[in-house]
Amino acid sequence: MSDFFAHGIDWLLSSMDGYILPLTKATAITLSLAFVSLIVGMFFAFIFTILESVPFKPVAWLMSLFNLTIRALPELLIVVAIYTGLPLLLMALDDGFTIPFGFTSFTVKMNIENTQPDPFLCGVFALSLLYAVYASQTLRGAFKAIPSGQKQAAQVLGLSKSRTFFRIIMPQMWRHALPGLSNQWLILLKDTALVSAIAIDDLMMQTKTIVARTNQPFLWYFIAMLVYLVISVLSQRVIAHIEKRSTKFEQPSSANSQ
């Protein structure tokens, strides 16, 4: 049995000879894409949550409609639409267009030298938008889970609304939202495979290229699966540690001392 595994490992290493470095670079691109999209997406998630919770109903309604539209569309369609539609928008801004406004109008025109944006930026924009829409729903639910009495108590103590939000509301929102946001991070990690459709040399795109050269689809897609699995398992370990730290004060003192 040991000889069988030894021969299998030798065959696998010989098959991967010359392709380990490109696959490593592609994995680094995938991780970079996921981390940047996570940071940008989290920023927009907070904005979407605030806009959907404002007292002014038309803004809240439009934000809810936007979130529903994004969630209803296939994710691959959104990635391709941004990649193909963004150049059209940049060309329109470069040419200039007039917007009528009542009895007057104003022209919008920008001097744009390159109307073909980088595919990586398009991928970040698409994945950030997808993450922000889903994460905003998690944050909104976490916000509603906080008792309103805490906000009233903060007002009685003379705290401003901004200080109440950042010192009292946000830390509790984070603890409530962390499990959902963690799950959406794993979904975001898998969604990075979608950007292979817009010519980004990520892990999935590089795997397709290697498969075309070697004509060994099962082997290389299996290796790509293992890479995604290892990244997900490591991410889960980090997430579990963060969740434990964020709820440490809620655990019994005997559990903390162990």
Side-chain angles (χ1 to χ4, degrees):
M1 182 65 70
S2 60
D3 292 338
F4 173 77
F5 282 111
H7 286 302
I9 294 175
D10 291 339
W11 173 78
L12 181 62
L13 292 177
S14 62
S15 300
M16 294 180 64
D17 186 30
Y19 297 109
I20 295 179
L21 183 59
L23 208 62
T24 303
K25 291 181 178 179
T27 303
I29 293 175
T30 296
L31 290 174
S32 300
L33 186 66
F35 280 121
V36 175
S37 300
L38 174 66
I39 295 172
V40 178
M42 186 62 69
F43 172 76
F44 281 107
F46 275 105
I47 295 178
F48 292 171
T49 302
I50 293 172
L51 291 177
E52 200 170 1
S53 304
V54 295
F56 189 57
K57 294 300 181 182
V59 174
W61 183 83
L62 287 175
M63 195 67 244
S64 299
L65 180 61
F66 174 78
N67 287 340
L68 177 62
T69 303
I70 297 298
R71 284 183 290 161
L73 296 177
E75 296 169 346
L76 180 60
L77 178 61
I78 294 176
V79 173
V80 175
I82 290 176
Y83 180 68
T84 57
L86 198 54
L88 299 178
L89 176 61
L90 294 177
M91 285 189 288
L93 291 174
D94 186 50
D95 295 336
F97 56 91
T98 301
I99 300 177
F101 190 75
F103 296 101
T104 183
S105 62
F106 61 93
T107 301
V108 177
K109 182 174 174 53
M110 300 176 62
N111 186 18
I112 301 175
E113 297 180 357
N114 184 15
T115 58
Q116 184 60 47
D118 184 79
F120 185 87
L121 296 179
C122 292
V124 168
F125 182 45
L127 294 177
S128 300
L129 178 63
L130 291 170
Y131 183 84
V133 167
Y134 288 100
S136 66
Q137 302 306 304
T138 302
L139 293 174
R140 195 159 67 96
F143 181 76
K144 291 182 177 180
I146 300 174
S148 58
Q150 298 193 22
K151 306 171 191 175
Q152 297 171 359
Q155 292 177 355
V156 171
L157 293 174
L159 297 179
S160 63
K161 291 184 178 180
S162 60
R163 194 175 180 84
T164 300
F165 179 77
F166 286 107
R167 297 297 298 272
I168 297 176
I169 304 300
M170 181 178 283
Q172 297 183 78
M173 279 182 61
W174 170 252
R175 291 196 298 272
H176 285 294
L178 188 57
L181 296 177
S182 303
N183 183 59
Q184 284 152 11
W185 155 252
L186 296 177
I187 295 174
L188 172 64
L189 189 62
K190 293 187 296 182
D191 284 347
T192 56
L194 299 174
V195 301
S196 60
I198 59 174
I200 296 180
D201 194 19
D202 69 321
L203 178 58
M204 201 64 190
M205 185 67 175
Q206 186 60 234
T207 302
K208 292 178 182 179
T209 303
I210 296 175
V211 166
R213 293 176 181 175
T214 61
N215 198 25
Q216 294 177 314
F218 179 80
L219 171 64
W220 289 104
Y221 284 125
F222 181 75
I223 292 174
M225 180 195 72
L226 290 179
V227 173
Y228 279 112
L229 182 61
V230 169
I231 296 173
S232 298
V233 170
L234 293 177
S235 298
Q236 198 66 43
R237 294 285 296 270
V238 174
I239 290 168
H241 178 71
I242 295 175
E243 289 181 350
K244 186 177 180 180
R245 288 291 300 272
S246 65
T247 58
K248 186 177 181 180
F249 74 98
E250 298 176 354
Q251 301 173 6
S253 57
S254 59
N256 292 333
S257 62
Q258 293 179 355

